[in-house]
Amino acid sequence: GLRIHEYLYFQVLSPGDIRYIFTATPAKDFGGVFNTRYDQIHLVPADPPEACGELSNGVFIQDQIALVERGGCSFLSKTRVIQEHGGRAIIIADNAYDNDSFYIEMIQDSSRRTADIPALFLLGRDGYMIRRSLEQHGLPWAVISIPVNVTSIPTYEMMQPPWTFW
């Protein structure tokens, strides 16, 4: 599994205007790990975005990965909502849309509940740009590969978001 402060990478395959490799950090003390590599899986923005209760698009989250926005409830609560809707993982984007460099350490709340699916934190700028691209194209989800092994990709070939410093 992944340890604290390690990064996990995923690549957006479609829509093409955000076909980049994104960096995320796993939750510190809850959630599962990626035991499977998904070459093409949907990244579905939750509706409502904060995913603190019932989802209006929960049927689309089943067997896919949810893109959720930070805020409104604990990271663990969001993860449990997505897990209850059959999601395979959750990516929680910071609600500070201008955050392009500061990773939040996601920790368990005081409820003693657990979650089994992987939970990742994504920079606010990255989450915003993914959601914006989907809205511009009128798409209900992105297609991604996760996790991506970046150690075998030469630095000059890595398609990184132009707005993020690596």
Side-chain angles (χ1 to χ4, degrees):
L2 293 166
R3 288 185 285 291
I4 302 168
H5 300 304
E6 288 193 15
Y7 296 109
L8 190 137
Y9 303 92
F10 68 93
Q11 182 173 18
V12 172
L13 303 174
S14 139
D17 61 331
I18 53 165
R19 192 178 168 100
Y20 300 116
I21 294 175
F22 293 89
T23 305
T25 56
K28 180 179 177 183
D29 59 2
F30 70 90
V33 295
F34 280 95
N35 295 318
T36 304
R37 181 173 191 275
Y38 300 101
D39 289 320
Q40 291 189 14
I41 192 166
H42 294 159
L43 178 63
V44 182
D47 185 19
E50 292 178 343
C52 291
E54 192 58 36
L55 302 177
S56 64
N57 67 338
V59 66
F60 297 113
I61 300 231
Q62 174 125 13
D63 293 325
Q64 306 303 322
I65 297 176
L67 177 62
V68 172
E69 201 169 288
R70 180 181 177 203
C73 60
S74 71
F75 294 121
L76 179 58
S77 292
K78 295 171 185 303
T79 304
R80 288 182 55 86
V81 166
I82 297 307
Q83 180 175 307
E84 289 162 9
H85 281 86
R88 297 202 182 203
I90 181 173
I91 298 175
I92 302 171
D94 197 352
N95 55 0
Y97 299 146
D98 59 345
N99 177 9
D100 61 4
S101 60
F102 183 70
Y103 288 91
I104 304 291
E105 197 166 71
M106 296 192 310
I107 59 172
Q108 196 166 17
D109 59 22
S110 58
S111 68
R112 297 188 182 188
R113 298 172 300 166
T114 59
D116 300 319
I117 63 171
L120 304 172
F121 183 81
L122 182 65
L123 295 173
R125 174 74 48 87
D126 292 346
Y128 169 77
M129 296 301 276
I130 292 169
R131 282 189 304 272
R132 189 181 85 172
S133 175
L134 294 176
E135 288 169 12
Q136 288 175 340
H137 294 287
L139 297 171
W141 52 69
V143 178
I144 66 170
S145 288
I146 188 168
V148 172
N149 180 357
V150 297
T151 58
S152 62
I153 303 173
T155 306
Y156 64 88
E157 286 184 15
M158 279 197 24
M159 290 295 297
Q160 326 164 49
W163 57 84
T164 303
F165 294 106
W166 283 41

